[in-house]
């Protein structure tokens, strides 16, 4: 990029003939400069001198900072959205990408249909607007070089009024990511996100089991040879439910004491050969308790035909030990997992009910409470950024064995008395 050495402001008198035949005169100001990229002479016209001066000052700052972009060729927000979605292809699962598209197309690109949520959903699916419908223009046609913090604030307020805080804040989060990628790839400087925006109503905190509760659950699971590993696993491995139900025996390495997370199970029971995000593909170290439970379960686990396949399959029909089950080995749907394995365990033990995903929350919280650095916790949990895990970054300096040793201490009776 060439440096702009001279930006001058000149003036001229413009004359225009009015309807009554008189001639009106008014001043016209021009900001003349050499384009920092092409080197060609350019001239911008302004009706007010202060506008020409503001443009000149902004131009000089952009050139000095190396952030100048020709506004005539600058991409629009709509183009930046397309670029961001294309970048996400293959990095997130198809259903996650579809969720991104619904939000950015409906609440960011626009236009936004004025109507009920159902009317907007029907319009998004069919592309056919209701009779007499009205629309609000959003940010899609705005060039990135023209986008300002004030414009984002107005846009956010509009989406809050039409769609609610949740949708508006989710769209703003996507916009921040979209602008960051555009800044890297297009060289356009992203405006600051506005502060003090409307927030979603406070949600009650989810119930999280205490260490004593989890210790009781794990102890019960160890003697429950038919179902225990199903409900203890996420507390000991920190997996998402889709990761647990999609786990195959080929990814459980007893020699290296690791569990390889490489895929997830979709809602219909099919396997997706990718995780929720790129960071979700990871290796989880096995502690002694989990290793022992999985080794014992491997002897009883329903097979697909005659081969071990899924670690957490549908149960089939139990025969007298040591005969194998009949008809099992297929996918176990999430709703059946909760109904047959998860909920009965909490009811039987008299523990506060939590969701399977809350077990993952407990896993992460326990590791942090045991002093495991957040960088390592994020790595084991499959978080792309440690800020998701704790809110600030801590360098990981130990291996995964330190983390599972801490988990063993936390959930063992001796760990509570020391």
């Amino acid at each position: 990029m060439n440096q702009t050495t001279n930006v001058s402001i000149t003036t001229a008198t413009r004359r225009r003939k009015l309807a009554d035949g008189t001639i009106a005169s008014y001043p016209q100001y021009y900001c003349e400069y050499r384009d920092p990229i092409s080197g060609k002479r350019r001239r911008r016209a302004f009706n007010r001198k202060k506008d020409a001066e503001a443009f000149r000052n902004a131009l000089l700052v952009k050139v000095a900072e190396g952030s100048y972009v020709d506004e005539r060729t600058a991409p629009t927000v709509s183009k930046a959205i397309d670029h961001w979605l294309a970048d996400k292809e293959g990095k997130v699962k198809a259903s996650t990408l579809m969720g991104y598209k619904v939000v950015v197309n409906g609440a960011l690109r626009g236009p936004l249909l004025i109507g009920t949520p159902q009317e907007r959903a029907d319009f998004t699916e069919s592309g056919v607007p209701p009779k007499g419908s009205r629309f609000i223009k959003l940010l899609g046609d705005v060039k990135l070089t023209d986008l300002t913090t004030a414009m984002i604030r107005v846009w956010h307020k509009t989406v809050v009024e039409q769609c609610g805080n949740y949708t508006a804040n989710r769209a703003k989060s996507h916009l921040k990511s979209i602008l960051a990628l555009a800044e890297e790839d297009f060289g356009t400087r992203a405006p600051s996100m506005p502060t003090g925006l409307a927030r979603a109503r406070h949600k009650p905190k989810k119930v999280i089991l205490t260490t004593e509760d989890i210790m009781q659950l794990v102890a019960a699971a160890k003697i429950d040879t038919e179902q225990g590993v199903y409900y203890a696993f996420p507390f000991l491995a920190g997996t998402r439910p889709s990761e647990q139900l999609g786990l195959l025996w080929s990814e459980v390495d007893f020699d290296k004491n690791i569990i390889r997370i490489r895929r997830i199970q979709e809602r219909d029971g099919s396997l997706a050969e990718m995780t929720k995000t790129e960071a979700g593909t990871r290796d989880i170290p096995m502690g002694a308790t989990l290793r022992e439970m999985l080794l014992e379960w491997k002897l009883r686990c329903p097979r697909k035909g005659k081969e071990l396949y899924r670690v957490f399959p549908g149960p089939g029909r139990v025969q007298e030990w040591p005969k194998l089950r009949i008809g099992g080995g297929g996918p176990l749907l999430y709703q059946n997992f909760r109904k047959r394995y998860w909920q009965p365990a909490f009811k039987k033990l008299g523990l506060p009910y939590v969701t399977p995903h809350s077990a993952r929350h407990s896993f992460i919280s326990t590791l942090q409470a045991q002093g495991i650095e957040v960088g390592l916790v994020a790595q084991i949990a499959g978080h792309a950024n440690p800020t998701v895990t704790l809110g600030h970054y801590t360098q990981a300096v130990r291996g995964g064995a330190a983390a599972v040793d801490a988990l063993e201490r936390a959930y063992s009776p001796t760990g509570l008395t020391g």
Side-chain angles (χ1 to χ4, degrees), residues 363-365 367-368 372-383 389:
F363 174 88
I364 295 170
S365 300
L367 291 182
Q368 293 175 0
I372 303 302
E373 56 270 16
V374 67
L376 177 55
V377 177
Q379 176 185 323
I380 296 173
H383 287 158
T389 312

Side-chain angles (χ1 to χ4, degrees), residues 101-269:
K101 289 180 179 179
V102 170
V103 174
V104 298
N105 289 332
L108 183 54
R109 190 197 306 267
L112 176 65
L113 174 69
I114 301 176
T116 66
Q118 186 60 52
E119 288 173 336
R120 281 194 291 270
D122 293 341
F123 171 62
T124 300
E125 182 176 349
S126 67
V128 180
K131 185 176 180 180
S133 58
R134 294 182 299 129
F135 292 88
I136 299 175
K137 191 174 182 180
L138 299 181
L139 297 178
D141 294 333
V142 178
K143 287 193 172 185
L144 296 183
T145 49
D146 296 332
L147 186 64
T148 64
T149 302
M151 293 171 66
I152 296 174
R153 183 183 297 278
V154 172
W155 159 79
H156 184 270
K157 181 180 179 181
T158 299
V159 179
V160 168
E161 292 172 349
Q162 295 296 323
C163 306
N165 284 321
Y166 176 80
T167 299
N169 290 336
R170 189 177 174 196
K172 181 173 74 71
S173 176
H174 291 338
L175 175 61
K176 186 176 180 180
S177 179
I178 290 166
L179 296 180
L181 183 64
E183 188 168 4
E184 291 179 4
D185 294 353
F186 299 141
T188 54
R189 170 154 293 192
S192 300
M193 287 291 115
T195 58
L197 298 178
R199 300 186 178 216
R201 287 175 294 188
H202 177 70
K203 294 182 180 179
K205 288 187 178 181
K206 293 182 179 179
V207 175
I208 301 296
L209 296 185
T210 65
T211 302
E212 291 83 356
D213 291 336
I214 299 173
M215 189 176 69
Q216 179 185 347
L217 182 142
V218 171
K222 290 175 70 174
I223 60 176
D224 182 359
T225 56
E226 295 298 330
Q227 298 190 353
V229 69
Y230 279 80
Y231 54 81
F233 183 82
F235 287 100
L236 299 172
T239 50
R240 300 175 175 92
S242 59
E243 295 169 345
Q244 175 181 350
L245 297 178
L247 184 64
L248 306 182
W249 280 111
S250 59
E251 306 299 349
V252 180
D253 190 332
F254 291 106
D255 293 330
K256 295 183 179 179
N257 272 342
I258 59 172
I259 296 169
R260 300 184 181 92
I261 302 300
R262 299 293 184 269
R263 63 185 56 78
I264 59 172
Q265 177 174 291
E266 298 284 11
R267 293 182 180 180
D268 62 359

Side-chain angles (χ1 to χ4, degrees), residues 324-375:
L324 299 178
R325 294 170 179 262
I326 298 176
L332 175 64
L333 299 183
Y334 176 68
Q335 57 267 33
N336 291 335
F337 165 63
R338 289 185 65 165
K339 183 178 180 180
R340 296 178 183 176
Y341 297 89
W342 193 261
Q343 294 171 348
F346 286 87
K347 184 176 181 180
K348 180 179 179 180
L349 295 172
L351 294 174
Y353 180 76
V354 297
T355 65
H357 197 276
S358 290
R360 171 176 165 81
H361 189 151
S362 296
F363 174 88
I364 295 170
S365 300
T366 301
L367 291 182
Q368 293 175 0
Q370 292 295 313
I372 303 302
E373 56 270 16
V374 67

